[in-house]
Amino acid sequence: MWDFSIGRTIGILARTMPFILMRMAIYFVITLAFILATGTGAGIGYGVGSLSDSPESFAIWGGIFGMGFVGVAVYWAREWLLYMVKAAHIAVIVKLIDGEALPDGKGQVAYGREIVTARFGEANVLFALDQLIKGVIAAITGLIGAVAAFLPIPGLDGIARFANTVIRLSLTYVDEIILGYNIRTNSDNVWESSRRGLVLYAQNGLKMVKNAVWLSVFLWILSILVFVLALAPAAAILYAFPGEIAGLSFVVAIVFAWAFKAAVLEPFAIAALMAVYFDTIRGQVPDPEWDVKLTGASDKFRALAENARGAFGGRPVAA
């Protein structure tokens, strides 16, 4: 079974309700933007297409263009979202997992941002660190598979491939776990503490994978349920726009389910895995063998080491 407490995790999220509400507002505004852009693009396409014999085709392409435009805008806003919301939320979750009281007279969001700003300084530093960590986790995935391949257990290669898939699907959660470790250790060198956190994660990789499997199952079942529930309302909304674009309702429902997953379900997964990680590594030190393995397998891990050495005067290596 899993090693996290569902009740305790829900309790922690309930105590960070200002962040949950902010995330919901951000991601549901994004969903609304997708719907409006799709409808506006369809309307423009229908108007242009009215000069032809097939205005419906122009409406569909206009809707697709509008949706793509918003998608590009969201992609470029990811650095701000990471720095201003996600990292600050993680900082507060770390404090609550460790049983620390939040300061009186100060809002959670402002408190979380203060911690992140004091820890990382600028958004571009946090974003570069995040990209390096993602690259290292990809190497850990390969190493776990390589170790399993040499074990004389029938069928283990299939298990290893499945584990690799699970880790790849949960990359977002893993880099946020390391971010939480970074905040928790309060080291003067974020590059070195990230490197240590990754080694600790790698040497406990199988246990983390087990819990990631359970969380992945929970999250995908709930996301599919939200998608099914959102399908009919999405079709009804798009039916009001010109042209036959109601067929795009499944795309809008997917976006809605993604928004709910990002706003509510992902913080649950992050808090649960972070609690497991902190409990597992208690009293442990980084295994030198895993340090050597990661150094040989990942240029991103080597970049972390270079940034760690140059943290007090050197320039960070690009992600």
Side-chain angles (χ1 to χ4, degrees):
M1 296 294 288
W2 55 84
D3 300 298
F4 53 88
S5 168
I6 295 177
R8 184 185 178 215
T9 304
I10 292 176
I12 288 174
L13 291 189
R15 294 180 64 186
T16 64
M17 190 55 66
F19 277 106
I20 298 295
L21 295 176
M22 175 178 285
R23 292 172 71 110
M24 290 178 66
I26 290 173
Y27 286 108
F28 285 119
V29 164
I30 291 173
T31 303
L32 180 61
F34 271 109
I35 293 174
L36 293 178
T38 301
T40 302
I44 295 174
Y46 191 86
V48 172
S50 62
L51 302 176
S52 70
D53 296 332
S54 181
E56 290 81 7
S57 297
F58 280 85
I60 292 175
W61 281 109
I64 293 174
F65 179 82
M67 188 174 293
F69 178 80
V70 174
V72 171
V74 170
Y75 176 81
W76 286 109
R78 71 197 189 284
E79 182 173 338
W80 179 86
L81 291 172
L82 172 69
Y83 185 67
M84 299 300 291
V85 181
K86 192 178 291 185
H89 193 187
I90 289 172
V92 174
I93 289 174
V94 168
K95 300 299 181 182
L96 293 176
I97 288 176
D98 286 342
E100 296 185 25
L102 302 182
D104 295 327
K106 183 181 295 185
Q108 275 189 24
V109 176
Y111 176 58
R113 287 177 181 173
E114 282 184 11
I115 295 174
V116 174
T117 301
R119 191 82 183 90
F120 301 99
E122 300 177 357
N124 63 332
V125 173
L126 176 58
F127 187 68
L129 182 65
D130 182 72
Q131 296 305 301
L132 287 176
I133 291 172
K134 279 186 169 72
V136 178
I137 295 298
I140 292 175
T141 303
L143 287 172
I144 292 176
V147 171
F150 285 100
L151 296 178
I153 302 177
L156 194 61
D157 55 340
I159 296 174
R161 286 195 297 270
F162 177 69
N164 292 345
T165 301
V166 170
I167 293 178
R168 283 195 293 271
L169 290 174
S170 59
L171 284 180
T172 301
Y173 309 142
V174 175
D175 71 284
E176 287 160 345
I177 290 169
I178 302 303
L179 171 60
Y181 175 81
N182 233 320
I183 292 171
R184 191 188 198 212
T185 56
N186 200 28
S187 167
D188 293 332
N189 191 327
V190 297
W191 309 99
E192 175 61 20
S193 58
S194 296
R195 192 188 67 80
R196 291 173 57 87
L198 284 164
V199 175
L200 287 167
Y201 178 87
Q203 67 194 52
N204 295 285
L206 293 179
K207 182 174 183 178
M208 299 306 299
V209 165
K210 180 188 72 172
N211 286 276
V213 168
W214 284 109
L215 284 167
S216 295
V217 170
F218 294 157
L219 266 60
W220 281 109
I221 289 175
L222 291 174
S223 297
I224 292 172
L225 179 61
V226 171
F227 164 76
V228 172
L229 294 176
L231 197 55
I237 293 172
L238 291 181
Y239 184 77
F241 289 103
E244 298 180 3
I245 63 168
L248 294 176
S249 59
F250 75 98
V251 179
V252 174
I254 288 174
V255 173
F256 184 88
W258 163 79
F260 182 82
K261 181 174 179 287
V264 180
L265 300 181
E266 285 188 1
F268 177 88
I270 292 167
L273 283 174
M274 199 177 299
V276 172
Y277 176 73
F278 289 166
D279 183 64
T280 301
I281 67 171
R282 184 179 295 114
Q284 292 187 8
V285 295
D287 186 341
E289 291 187 10
W290 272 104
D291 198 328
V292 171
K293 288 178 183 178
L294 289 174
T295 300
S298 173
D299 59 338
K300 304 297 186 182
F301 190 79
R302 293 192 294 272
L304 277 175
E306 292 178 30
N307 284 337
R309 287 191 294 269
F312 300 100
R315 300 186 61 179
V317 177

